[in-house]
Amino acid sequence: MGTPSVYIKDRQKVEKILTAMRQTGPSAVQVISDFDMTLTRFAYNGKRCPTCHNILDNSKLISEDCKAELADLLKTYYPIEIDSTRPVEEKLPLMVEWWTKAHHILVQQRIRKDLLAVVVQESDAMLRDGYQLFFNHLQEHDVPLLIFSAGIGDILEEVIRQAGVFHPNVKVFSNYMEFNDTGVLQGFKGELIHVYNKHEGALLNSSHFQELKQRHNVLLLGDSLGDLSMADGVPDLENILKIGYLNDKVEERRESYLSSYDIVLEKDETMDVPNAILLHIT
Ligand code: TMP
Ligand code: MG
C-alpha cells in the first residue's frame, strides 16, 4: 500500500490557523466531518471498504437481481463522482440521478428496520484507525462533532453505535430512512443529500449552526471536493482548517485537492493527523 503522505501547500497558513485555534481553545471549536471514506476506511488489506450504501447493497437484505443493479449504478456513477475533468455543475444532476435510482431500488426490497443492526454487524465497515481517540477526545472536551453525510443516517449511526463512540456531542445530518407502521422501508425523509449539495438544504434550514454560534473555529474533514462546502452555513466563521483524505485517483486529483484542502492525506487509513491537530488545539 505504500507509506502514508501528508501534503501541505501553504505551511505558513496552516501554522497561523493552528496558533489561532490553540489560543482560543476547545470552547471555540467545532468539528464538521464527512462520513464515508473520511471517518471510515477506504481500504483494508488491499480491499475496498463499504460506504453506508454499500453496507446495505452487499447485505442479505437485497436480492441478487437488485445487487446487480446497484453494482451497475456504482460502476456508472462513481467514476463520474471522482472525475476531475468534469465541472461540478455537470456532475450534480447525475449524482441526483444516482441517489434517486439507488434509493428507489432499496425501497423495493422492503428492508426491515430491525435488521439494520445485524447487517452492519455482518459488514466490513471499519472506522479509521485511531477513531476511539478522535471521538472520545471530542466528547471529553465538549467539542461538538457534526457528521454531514450523503450516506444513510440509520446505517451510519449504527456503525458508530456499534463502535461504542456515538457520544452525546455527535450530531448527524444525513439521509434517513422512513419506515411504515410495521417497520418496513418505504422511502427516505426530507431533502436528498448527495455529494455535491452539502452547502444547501438540510443544514442551512436547521438550527444547528445557530446553537453553535460561539464556536468560530472549524476543523473540517472530508474526502470529496463536495465536502468543502459543509461549513458554509457557520455564522461568524473565524478560522477553518480543512483536512482532506485523497483516497482514489491520487495523481490526477492531487493538484485540485492541494488548492482547496489545507492538508491533504494520501494512503492514510488513520485518524492520526486529525488527532494530532485536535490534541494541539484543545
Ligand atoms: P458521504 O457523504 O458520507 O461520503 O457519502 C457519500 C458516498 O456514498 C459517495 O462517495 C458515494 C457513495 N454511494 C454509494 O457507495 N452507493 C450509492 O448507491 C450511492 C447513492 C452513493
Ligand atoms: Mg465521503
Side-chain angles (χ1 to χ4, degrees), residues 49-281:
C49 292
T51 60
C52 292
H53 284 93
N54 302 154
I55 290 175
L56 268 186
D57 299 357
N58 304 335
S59 79
K60 61 186 179 194
L61 305 184
I62 309 292
S63 72
E64 290 308 314
D65 284 356
C66 285
K67 274 190 177 141
E69 283 181 57
L70 288 160
D72 276 346
L73 291 180
L74 186 68
K75 222 165 68 195
T76 309
Y77 292 100
Y78 175 67
I80 301 173
E81 180 194 336
I82 62 165
D83 187 344
S84 52
T85 67
R86 290 201 197 197
V88 170
E89 308 82 72
E90 193 183 308
K91 300 203 254 187
L92 209 137
L94 297 166
M95 293 301 105
V96 175
E97 212 172 271
W98 181 13
W99 262 254
T100 309
K101 285 180 182 169
H103 288 183
H104 182 73
I105 295 174
L106 293 177
V107 170
Q108 288 175 340
Q109 297 298 290
R110 303 187 53 78
I111 292 167
R112 273 171 46 195
K113 185 180 169 66
D114 61 336
L115 294 179
L116 295 182
V118 183
V119 156
V120 168
Q121 187 104 54
E122 291 174 352
S123 77
D124 298 327
M126 280 175 94
L127 293 165
R128 288 188 188 270
D129 284 3
Y131 74 86
Q132 296 97 331
L133 177 66
F134 178 80
F135 281 89
N136 295 342
H137 185 84
L138 291 176
Q139 165 64 12
E140 281 158 22
H141 290 78
D142 287 323
V143 175
L145 166 61
L146 170 73
I147 301 178
F148 195 173
S149 169
I152 300 170
D154 309 72
I155 302 282
L156 175 175
E157 284 193 7
E158 201 49 47
V159 173
I160 55 177
R161 191 176 294 122
Q162 290 185 15
V165 292
F166 195 4
H167 302 316
N169 65 322
V170 179
K171 177 117 186 163
V172 179
F173 276 90
S174 188
N175 300 303
Y176 276 90
M177 295 173 147
E178 181 131 53
F179 297 96
N180 67 15
D181 295 344
T182 56
V184 173
L185 179 67
Q186 57 175 18
F188 284 81
K189 295 178 190 165
E191 274 175 55
L192 177 74
I193 305 172
H194 58 79
V195 268
Y196 292 119
N197 73 345
K198 291 193 174 182
H199 56 290
E200 57 179 45
L203 259 184
L204 290 183
N205 299 328
S206 80
S207 58
H208 178 75
F209 284 143
Q210 283 307 315
E211 286 163 21
L212 301 181
K213 265 209 304 272
Q214 76 290 12
R215 296 188 179 261
H216 309 296
N217 295 334
V218 172
L219 185 66
L220 181 147
L221 309 179
D223 79 292
S224 152
L225 294 177
D227 296 328
L228 287 156
S229 59
M230 292 189 299
D232 281 7
V234 176
D236 305 321
L237 183 72
E238 272 171 25
N239 300 289
I240 178 162
L241 188 74
K242 300 170 180 165
I243 304 178
Y245 285 93
L246 176 49
N247 297 313
D248 207 358
K249 292 266 188 295
V250 171
E251 297 297 332
E252 287 169 48
R253 299 198 294 167
R254 185 176 296 132
E255 248 341 283
S256 59
Y257 271 62
L258 272 169
S259 34
S260 34
Y261 277 107
D262 300 305
I263 301 179
V264 176
L265 305 174
E266 287 181 18
K267 300 196 199 76
D268 186 348
E269 294 292 353
T270 76
M271 299 295 295
D272 292 352
V273 171
N275 283 346
I277 287 168
L278 278 178
L279 292 176
H280 181 74
I281 63 174

Side-chain angles (χ1 to χ4, degrees), residues 22-34:
R22 187 182 163 95
Q23 263 164 9
T24 24
S27 64
V29 178
Q30 54 177 307
V31 179
I32 303 179
S33 181
D34 168 55

